[in-house]
Amino acid sequence: MKLHYELSGPEDAPVVVLGNSLGTTTALWDAQMPLLREKYRVLRYDHRGHGGSPAAPGPYRIDDLGDDVLELLDTLGFARVSYCGVSMGAMVGMWLAGHAPERIDRLVLCCTAATYATAQPWVDRAAVVRRSGTASIAAQVVSRWFTPALRSRSPETVAAFEAMLSTVDDESYAGCCDALASLDLRSVLPAIEAPTAVVAGAQDEATPPECLRAIAEAIPDSELFIVGDAAHLANVEAADAVAVILHEHLR
């Protein structure tokens, strides 16, 4: 799978890879880019069927999404990188750090989970998207990504992310839902060697802080940060706070 990607920052700087949440594109990280590209070679990519990446028939497993990234790193000649991911992007990061530890230098996991109590919501969502398309779920899904305060003061942000989700290929989105339905990364967490920053949004209902606390407790060299006034897309809603965490951890 040849993923769409964007490279920016000094060519001789350490490489930082940014992984997106389900239903978003490289634009998810726009707020952190001014800081990161000063000091790092920043690689942003789109998951299969998202943004500029080609679609692929599902179902997928998290292994498929992780292998996509390894193929991209090999294509670009990047032997070892730091990786920062949000939600599904962070799940890919956990998979990479657990299955290819020699490739991951430092790791940031934001607003994510290592497994889910039940697969049914993802099975149901995949079925709806295969039947009615991503646009049919956009408003409901994006409403959980931000706090009521953000939705009130910045409706244009909400509208932009609803539009972004609506552009994702239906079958690819459903395939990613299949991957999350079968997700269980708990066994790889103790094997992660990369120093890890774990970031939770205090008001995140999709992956509450206790999910991130469990991840931080399982990874040997990790630190938990809880960002106030943020829901699931904490790097958007609390952009400056997350940028500081990234900067301090990556250096």
Side-chain angles (χ1 to χ4, degrees), residues 60 115-116 118-123 126 175-184:
Y60 315 147
T115 191
Y116 289 98
T118 173
Q120 199 59 48
W122 294 111
V123 173
C176 290
C177 290
D178 296 329
L180 301 193
S182 63
L183 181 79
D184 191 348

Side-chain angles (χ1 to χ4, degrees), residues 203-245:
Q203 300 182 57
D204 184 1
E205 296 179 2
T207 53
E210 52 263 33
C211 290
L212 284 302
R213 191 178 306 280
I215 291 170
E217 289 174 351
I219 297 175
D221 186 5
S222 66
E223 185 174 3
L224 176 66
F225 302 86
I226 299 179
V227 179
D229 301 322
H232 192 53
L233 296 190
N235 71 308
V236 176
E237 192 159 3
D240 292 344
V242 172
V244 169
I245 293 168

Side-chain angles (χ1 to χ4, degrees), residues 4-27:
H4 167 258
Y5 68 91
E6 302 168 8
L7 270 173
S8 58
E11 292 187 8
D12 58 347
V15 178
V16 174
V17 181
L18 303 179
N20 312 318
S21 61
L22 173 63
T24 68
T25 69
T26 57

Side-chain angles (χ1 to χ4, degrees), residues 56-61 65 126 130 170-180:
Y60 315 147
R61 297 184 63 83
L65 304 181
R130 286 187 169 108
D170 298 339
E171 175 59 23
S172 298
Y173 185 98
C176 290
C177 290
D178 296 329
L180 301 193

Side-chain angles (χ1 to χ4, degrees), residues 12 48 75 81 96 136 140 143 148 218-219 234:
D12 58 347
R48 46 177 68 184
T75 298
V81 302
L96 291 168
S136 69
Q140 178 186 4
S143 71
I219 297 175

